[in-house]
Amino acid sequence: MSALPLIVIVVLLVAYIGYSLRNRRRLIAEEMVRTSRIDVGTEVMTTSGLYGTVVQLHDDGTVVLSIAPGVEVKWALAALRDADSLADTYRRGIAAPDNQPTGEELP
């Protein structure tokens, strides 16, 4: 019985594990850069689509967002995307709501 199939399987397994670890390190580095860009005053969008401005940063990985005058909510930092990293389609919602229906367009 030849050991070649076993060697091929081991080589493929090692290559897969190495590739997975490299991707994981890259994702962690990207996450660190993304979260370092979020500071007090940064306009953000949550992963669920809520827009707000960071008003407080906490050491436990949470932030307080101002989503309307007098309305502040607490979110996990991992659930935020800074507005500069968003596609133009999403940033338009923060900057100027040009695409808001006026009510006259109803069928």
Side-chain angles (χ1 to χ4, degrees), residues 1-74:
M1 194 164 162
S2 175
L4 185 61
L6 182 60
I7 293 172
V8 170
I9 291 173
V10 169
V11 168
L12 289 175
L13 183 62
V14 168
Y16 175 75
I17 291 171
Y19 181 74
S20 296
L21 289 175
R22 186 178 67 130
N23 280 343
R24 180 73 176 151
R25 276 189 237 122
R26 183 183 50 82
L27 290 174
I28 289 171
E30 287 174 1
E31 180 73 12
M32 289 175 65
V33 167
R34 185 190 58 76
T35 57
S36 69
R37 294 177 60 183
I38 297 175
D39 200 8
V40 174
T42 305
E43 289 184 338
V44 295
M45 182 182 85
T46 66
T47 53
S48 60
L50 180 71
Y51 292 95
T53 303
V54 177
V55 292
Q56 291 178 11
L57 288 170
H58 297 225
D59 291 335
D60 64 351
T62 61
V63 297
V64 176
L65 295 181
S66 174
I67 58 173
V71 180
E72 295 180 349
V73 292
K74 188 175 184 179

